């Protein structure tokens, strides 16, 4: 029952954000600022995570396929698993952990310090001022982050293939290149944008409805990252089903 | 330069904190009942998110794997791929990500709130070691809960793969189960458990460390929660590569 209630509140929240976004002037400068913040702040962790996901992908693919004598197909495995699935979902997980929790805790602090009420009193629409720029920023930036993550992942998989496993690097890259089509990159980008919009909506909602006190801010931040990660994982299946099924 | 210096200082503080906690974990009689309580909380809080993430992950795996294996007419090997991928990598990493996101951030929020409300100082004034009563039980709970959740995630991932392969795409049920263990050994589950014990320790220590040294009111607690998830996930993904190399690299 409580879940249904929250779902309804989320619907009202999303509706207000959409309505306010269309009835007010678009905050272009704030959007660029948020896009820059989300992109640049998340990039270092994203690079580290993508790098080590790539190394593991190559290592595990090699170990798993060697009994079938298929270690030459490593490039294909990395291309398919990495580009189509792992990179988008890893980016979503890291952005929800970094940028999503940041959104949730910032907005939650504003809520409990009654700064959001202050905005309303000053006749500033808090939805347009706080949510819209973050939403547009994350949707703009996530596809780019996904492509960067794909490039990092393939690079690190190549490093492991050549230097740790001692397989030839040329055929590996050729296989990656042949199995990855433009459509795959496009779908990965679309997934990125879609996940980004979910992460932002969920995180901002959790912030807006934060319970009072420091413990409340902690709980709101906690809920934001878990709910958005679960949403992205489930959404991922449906997008993959439509795109590749 | 100053920033770099701060990083080193943080690393040193984390090292000292972890040393103190691990020492107490093994040498003192910390409250077992509190540990059991935290373990129960952690496991029940994280079980649903872990299932909700590994199940779709298994579904996607089967979906993509089936496409490739159909090219070679080797659909019967699908469940072997699902088994290897889920037991060795997906379940340990996804379960740990969710434990960090759900359990770790809750630890940081609780301990951080205790620090802000000066409850930790109050504990110390009463002559009780806050590390022993608040921190050690939580770290112990994370150490034990993460491997359990890894097993939960492994089962749910395989079930997700089974749903797509057998129910949606009409592969043969018997073949799916017969080939599940063709490439993977029970050892792979053991490797996952070993990995997730290490990851659970990292998560527990990072979360309680961030909460223990939280400062700056409610915003500080929010920051601690945020940092916890990011630092914990980054460090165990890096640790994962080395553990995988050690476990399977020569194999």
């Amino acid at each position: 029952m409580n879940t249904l209630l929250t779902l309804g509140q989320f619907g009202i929240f999303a509706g207000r954000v959409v309505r306010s976004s269309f009835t007010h002037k678009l905050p272009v400068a704030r959007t660029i600022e948020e896009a820059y913040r989300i992109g640049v702040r998340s990039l270092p962790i994203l690079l580290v995570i993508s790098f080590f996901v790539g190394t593991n992908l190559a290592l595990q693919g090699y170990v798993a396929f060697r009994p079938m004598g298929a270690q030459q197909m490593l490039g294909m495995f990395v291309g398919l698993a990495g580009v189509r699935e792992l990179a988008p979902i890893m980016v979503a997980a890291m952005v929800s952990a970094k940028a999503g929790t940041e959104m949730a805790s910032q907005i939650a602090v504003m809520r409990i310090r009654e700064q959001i009420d202050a905005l309303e009193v000053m006749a500033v629409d808090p939805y347009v001022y706080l949510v819209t720029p973050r939403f547009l920023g994350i949707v703009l930036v996530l596809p780019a982050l996904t492509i960067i993550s794909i490039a990092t992942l393939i690079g690190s998989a190549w490093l492991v293939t050549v230097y740790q496993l001692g397989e030839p690097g040329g055929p590996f890259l050729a296989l990656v290149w042949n199995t990855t089509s433009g459509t795959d990159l496009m779908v990965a980008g679309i997934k990125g944008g879609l996940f980004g919009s979910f992460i932002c909506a969920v995180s901002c909602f959790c912030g807006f409805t934060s319970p009072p006190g420091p413990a409340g801010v902690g709980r709101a931040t906690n809920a934001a990252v878990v709910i958005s990660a679960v949403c992205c994982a489930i959404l991922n299946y449906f997008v993959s089903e439509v795109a590749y099924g | 330069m100053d920033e770099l210096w701060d990083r080193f200082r943080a690393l040193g503080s984390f090292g000292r904190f972890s040393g103190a906690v691990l020492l107490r974990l093994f040498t003192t009689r910390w409250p077992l009942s509190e540990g059991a309580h935290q373990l129960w909380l952690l496991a029940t809080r994280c079980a649903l998110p872990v299932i909700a993430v590994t199940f779709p992950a298994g579904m996607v795996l089967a979906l993509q794997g089936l496409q490739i294996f159909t090219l070679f007419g080797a659909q019967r090997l699908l469940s072997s791929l699902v088994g290897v991928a889920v037991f060795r990598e997906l379940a340990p990493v996804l379960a740990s990500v969710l434990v960090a996101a759900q359990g770790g951030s809750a630890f940081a929020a609780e301990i951080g709130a205790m620090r802000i409300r000066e409850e930790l100082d109050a504990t110390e004034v009463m002559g009780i070691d806050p590390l022993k009563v608040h921190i050690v039980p939580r770290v112990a709970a994370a150490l034990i809960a993460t491997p359990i959740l890894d097993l939960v995630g492994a089962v749910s991932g395989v079930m997700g793969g089974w749903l797509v392969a057998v129910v949606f795409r009409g592969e043969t049920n018997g073949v799916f189960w017969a080939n599940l263990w063709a490439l993977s050994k029970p050892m792979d589950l053991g490797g996952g458990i070993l990995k997730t014990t290490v990851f659970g320790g990292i998560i527990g220590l990072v979360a309680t460390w961030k909460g223990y040294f939280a400062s700056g009111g409610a915003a500080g607690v929010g920051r601690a929660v945020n940092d916890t998830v990011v630092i914990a996930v980054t460090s165990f993904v890096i640790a994962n590569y080395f553990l995988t190399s050690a476990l399977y690299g020569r194999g």
Side-chain angles (χ1 to χ4, degrees):
Chain A
M1 196 60 218
N2 260 333
T3 323
L4 274 181
L5 221 74
T6 318
L7 214 61
Q9 279 175 341
F10 180 71
I12 293 173
F13 172 80
R16 277 203 190 145
V17 170
V18 171
R19 199 186 62 191
S20 297
S21 309
F22 281 110
T23 51
H24 290 67
K25 219 168 69 133
L26 220 57
V28 179
R30 290 260 303 122
T31 300
I32 293 172
E33 192 190 315
E34 288 293 341
Y36 176 80
R37 262 236 304 255
I38 295 163
V40 171
R41 288 252 195 95
S42 310
L43 196 58
I45 327 157
L46 203 70
L47 290 179
V48 174
I49 297 272
S50 314
F51 186 90
F52 282 97
V53 167
T55 56
N56 259 37
L57 199 59
L59 199 57
Q60 289 287 18
Y62 181 79
V63 174
F65 290 130
R66 200 171 36 179
M68 309 193 285
Q71 66 263 46
Q72 292 89 353
M73 311 236 308
L74 199 55
M76 189 173 171
F77 176 66
V78 170
L80 286 174
V83 174
R84 284 190 180 178
E85 297 299 333
L86 277 175
I89 200 75
M90 270 299 158
V91 171
M94 283 330 288
V95 169
S96 75
K98 176 88 191 161
T101 53
E102 216 165 64
M103 286 178 197
S105 70
Q106 280 168 350
I107 295 182
V109 168
M110 292 182 194
R111 164 62 76 201
I112 65 166
R113 287 200 193 134
E114 304 181 355
Q115 291 170 345
I116 292 180
D117 306 275
L119 279 178
E120 264 171 50
V121 167
M122 292 190 292
V124 176
D125 188 318
Y127 298 99
V128 171
Y129 188 73
L130 296 174
V131 183
T132 312
R134 287 182 166 84
F135 186 85
L136 295 176
I138 206 170
V139 173
L140 274 177
V141 147
L142 264 203
L145 287 181
T146 311
I147 302 298
I148 294 173
S149 152
I150 288 174
T152 318
L153 191 148
I154 292 175
S156 70
W158 178 82
L159 279 178
V160 167
T161 309
V162 174
Y163 292 103
Q164 190 176 356
L165 305 173
E167 295 284 320
F172 170 82
L173 283 182
L175 260 176
V176 173
W177 187 247
N178 286 338
T179 42
T180 315
S181 62
T183 329
D184 288 342
L185 289 182
M186 211 171 70
V187 172
I190 292 173
K191 274 185 181 177
L194 213 64
F195 295 162
S197 59
F198 259 75
I199 292 167
C200 177
V202 169
S203 305
C204 290
F205 174 72
C206 287
F208 259 82
T209 52
S210 163
V217 174
R219 259 215 304 286
T221 313
N222 179 347
V225 53
V226 174
I227 299 174
S228 46
V230 170
C231 283
C232 288
I234 296 173
L235 203 62
N236 184 39
Y237 170 71
F238 289 107
V239 179
S240 288
E241 177 74 54
V242 171
Y244 303 114
Chain B
M1 197 58 211
D2 265 4
E3 201 176 320
L4 193 70
W5 201 233
D6 281 348
R7 293 267 155 89
F8 276 119
R9 208 169 285 157
L11 203 63
S13 140
F14 178 67
R16 262 183 69 187
F17 178 83
S18 312
V21 171
L22 291 177
L23 187 74
R24 282 168 177 76
L25 178 65
F26 293 115
T27 58
T28 60
R29 290 174 55 84
W30 46 275
L32 269 179
S33 59
E34 171 70 8
H37 176 63
Q38 291 295 343
L39 177 64
W40 173 249
L41 273 184
L42 188 63
T44 47
R45 266 185 200 155
C46 297
L48 200 62
V50 167
I51 293 171
V53 166
T54 47
F55 195 80
M59 288 169 80
V60 170
L61 190 61
L63 182 80
Q64 298 280 14
L66 209 52
Q67 270 210 328
I68 315 229
F69 282 143
T70 312
L71 287 181
F72 305 103
Q75 291 97 320
R76 67 190 174 76
L77 279 177
L78 175 71
S79 62
S80 321
L81 172 80
V82 171
V84 170
V86 168
F87 296 151
R88 286 191 185 167
E89 287 295 321
L90 277 180
V93 170
L94 288 178
S96 307
V97 168
L98 267 297
V99 170
Q102 176 78 308
S105 63
F107 284 175
E110 287 162 7
I111 305 279
M114 284 187 198
R115 168 62 73 199
I116 303 295
R117 292 196 200 126
E118 304 182 353
E119 289 170 24
L120 291 177
D121 304 272
T123 320
E124 225 164 331
V125 166
M126 291 189 286
I128 300 167
D129 182 5
L131 287 181
K132 204 163 101 180
V133 295
H134 295 309
I135 309 289
V136 172
R138 287 184 166 80
V139 173
L143 272 174
I144 298 172
T146 320
I148 298 175
L149 290 164
D150 168 45
L151 294 181
V152 172
V155 172
S156 108
V158 170
M159 290 311 290
W162 174 83
L163 183 71
V164 167
V166 176
V167 180
F168 292 174
R169 297 292 144 90
E171 298 296 319
T172 326
N173 189 21
V175 173
F176 185 91
W177 294 114
N179 280 318
L180 182 58
W181 295 98
L183 288 179
S184 52
K185 297 178 279 296
M187 185 23 221
D188 289 335
L189 272 180
I193 290 174
L194 184 79
K195 276 185 181 180
T196 41
T197 311
V198 176
F199 298 168
I202 294 176
I203 294 166
L205 286 171
V206 169
T208 48
W209 171 63
K210 271 285 160 194
Y212 197 76
F213 292 105
S215 63
V221 175
R223 221 169 22 244
V225 173
N226 184 342
D227 287 350
T228 295
V229 182
V230 173
I231 296 175
V233 173
T234 313
S235 29
F236 72 64
V237 169
I238 295 174
N240 188 27
Y241 166 67
F242 293 106
L243 283 171
T244 304
S245 284
L247 281 172
Y248 308 110
R250 282 179 302 274

